[in-house]
Each structure stands twice: as structure tokens, then as C-alpha cells.
Amino acid sequence: MSGATAPIPGEQADPGRERSEILSLAIRFADLWAVDPHQMADETYAPSIHMESMAKTTVVDGIDMLHRLEDRLATMVPEHRHELVRVLVDPPEAFLETTVVSPTTGEYAQAALWWRVGEPAAGQAVRQVVDEVGWFDWAHRRADSTASRGTVPPDDRRWRGGTDWYHRLVSEAVAAFSADPAAAASRYLCADPVATHVGHTEISGRGPVLDVVERFSAVLSRCRIEVSRVIGDGAVVAVLFTLGNATTQTRGTLVATLDADGAAHSVRLYLDWDHVAADCQALVPPRSDPAADH
């Protein structure tokens, strides 16, 4: 990490510097977790850190509670480490996709984290995470890292627009999907897409993907989609959303990789269908291991 200090009052922050510092924080986070999770917690997270799980009731308030959580995780997944798959940064926020690796058991599971990063505290040179919304489900681990992670297309690094461009794209897509899921999927998918329900299953080809959307369109049409955060960079856009109705709600994340024409080539979904509707259970294969979720 650099020794950059917070801007003086009235000084406009340098977005390039902010982005670089947050990216460095993400890399340091992954590196430290493999060495000392408690050092990782103290360096990465603010003393007042607030964490929430996307699909479960797990809430962490304060660094002491986080240390206790790390002790439980170390027991469940000995010698675990995080390997970064993707990092998107839009200061002061970031989105991380990682692979959680257990060298002891030779298993892999996926995690997704939404960060809000604060300014350096008084007397400190580095930024820390002040708020996190995360996804992690060790019960759906795999011995095959490729099967666990699914398809992650590379970013083509082509400029598509600033923050407003991605927010507009997501807003239009959500409106279309809320009105008619099948028609929206047909409109926004490329000719040969791949859709991954991360940790569960992957479907390739326009016909099979559209068939799945059509199959669940009746359930989805009864749900309301509310977008909480959007981060885009090049071909990749990540969306944190809430899905549900008056009685049942859950949060999830969708990560789309766009092709040169702006259509979705890859859609990666972190979502617990069990919290949406019993009709969706058929999309999720039976669990092969009853291990407790994190």
C-alpha cells in the first residue's frame, strides 16, 4: 500500500489514486488471509466494520465479532485462503469475486464481496473497509475448481462509458426483466451465452438459457427486483439486488460480461433460490455435503 494521506478539506479526491488504493487493499486482503486471518481483519477492516450476508442472517458488528467469525471459519475450512477472480472498483466501493481454497481438503467454493471503503482514519495512511455485503456457501464446495468457479470470461478492457452508462444499462434491463423476463432475456443475451448459478450449475447456449428463464418466468414475474449497487468496468458489470415479494426477500448478485455489441455473453448469478420460492428448487441440484454454511 502507498503512504498516501487523505485529501485536505475542500480538496477534490483523485479518483485514479482512490481506485489504485482500493485495488491494493483487495490484493493485500487476499494475500494476508493465506498467512494470518486475524492480521487480515485488522488491516483490511475498520474497527467499526459492519458486515451482512446476502442470503443468510449473519451480521457482524465490530472487529471483535469479526475475529470470532474468523476463528469459526478456520475450524470449518482449515488453512483456507482467498484467490482473487475479479475486482471491480468505483470509489469508494468495490466488488470482489474470489475462490476460497482449502488446501487441507482440496476443495473450492466461491465468494463475492461488496465493499464500501472509508477514508484513512486519523494518523493512518491506508483505507479500510467500513461496510461489507458478502456471499459465501461452503456447503456447495467442489473438488474441481473449474466446476466450482464456472466460466469467467476475460474483460476486453474496451471503454463503454462512465458510471452513468452502467447504471442506465442496469436500470433499463431491470425494467425490461420485471415486465417480461423471457422477452428481456432474449433481448439482452448474445447468440451463444453461458449462464452460471455460481456453486450450483452452468448452462450454455442461447436456447437452453432462454428455456430456463421461460421455465421460471411465472415465479420471477411475481417478484420485485430492487437494485442496491452497480459497478461496471470495461465489459463487466456487477449488480447487487434484492429479489422477492411482501413476504419473502433475499439479496443476490449478478455479474454480466458483455460482448462487443453490448449483449451479455456471460451471466454469473449468486442467489439462494430457496429464499425466493419453492418452485425454484428444481434449478438447484441436491447438496452432496451437509456441512454447515458460513
Side-chain angles (χ1 to χ4, degrees):
M1 294 290 292
S2 68
T5 58
I8 62 174
E11 179 185 4
Q12 186 173 2
D14 177 355
R17 186 187 70 188
E18 285 187 278
R19 186 183 187 284
S20 177
E21 290 176 352
I22 294 173
L23 181 58
S24 295
L25 180 63
I27 295 171
R28 179 67 170 165
F29 154 82
D31 287 347
L32 274 179
W33 211 323
V35 177
D36 186 338
H38 291 291
Q39 183 182 355
M40 176 281 300
D42 287 331
E43 286 197 22
T44 305
Y45 295 99
S48 60
I49 179 64
H50 177 80
M51 292 180 169
E52 296 180 3
S53 171
M54 287 185 208
K56 306 188 188 310
T57 57
T58 305
V59 174
V60 170
D61 275 310
I63 197 70
D64 290 341
M65 188 177 293
L66 177 56
H67 281 298
R68 292 194 294 272
L69 179 63
E70 288 303 324
D71 285 335
R72 294 198 298 273
L73 182 59
T75 299
M76 184 171 65
V77 194
E79 300 181 2
H80 68 282
R81 67 178 188 269
H82 278 246
E83 294 183 349
L84 294 176
V85 175
R86 187 193 318 272
V87 181
L88 303 178
V89 180
D90 185 10
E93 296 184 343
F95 170 71
L96 290 69
E97 282 189 284
T98 82
T99 299
V100 180
V101 182
S102 174
T104 301
T105 65
E107 295 172 309
Y108 307 81
Q110 299 314 302
L113 307 174
W114 288 88
W115 281 357
R116 183 168 288 117
V117 181
E119 293 289 341
Q124 300 293 321
V126 298
R127 301 171 185 272
Q128 290 182 309
V129 179
V130 297
D131 180 88
E132 177 181 289
V133 179
W135 173 278
F136 176 56
D137 193 345
W138 186 241
H140 293 290
R141 61 194 183 272
R142 304 277 189 90
D144 182 338
S145 62
T146 302
S148 173
R149 182 173 54 250
T151 299
V152 184
D155 183 0
D156 62 17
R157 309 308 305 171
R158 290 179 58 250
W159 169 257
R160 284 160 171 85
T163 298
D164 290 345
W165 187 90
Y166 294 100
H167 278 266
R168 184 169 59 254
L169 172 68
V170 170
S171 178
E172 293 173 353
V174 168
F177 203 86
S178 298
D180 188 334
S186 181
R187 171 184 172 186
Y188 284 97
L189 290 174
C190 74
D192 188 26
V194 56
T196 307
H197 187 190
V198 180
H200 296 276
T201 190
E202 185 167 276
I203 303 168
S204 299
R206 184 176 175 86
V209 173
L210 289 177
D211 285 346
V212 170
V213 175
E214 179 67 34
R215 178 182 174 191
F216 294 104
S217 60
V219 173
L220 294 171
S221 65
R222 297 196 297 269
C223 296
R224 178 179 175 82
I225 304 171
E226 295 184 354
V227 173
S228 302
R229 303 186 197 178
V230 176
I231 297 182
D233 185 10
V236 185
V237 57
V239 184
L240 176 65
F241 63 91
T242 300
L243 178 67
N245 51 40
T247 59
T248 303
Q249 292 188 347
T250 189
R251 280 184 291 189
T253 290
L254 182 146
V255 187
T257 303
L258 309 177
D259 66 11
D261 297 321
H265 167 57
S266 165
V267 176
R268 294 170 55 77
L269 184 64
Y270 297 86
L271 182 69
D272 190 341
W273 283 110
D274 296 354
H275 286 253
V276 180
D279 293 344
C280 295
Q281 298 261 1
L283 184 64
V284 182
R287 296 184 178 183
S288 58
D289 193 299
D293 295 340
H294 171 50

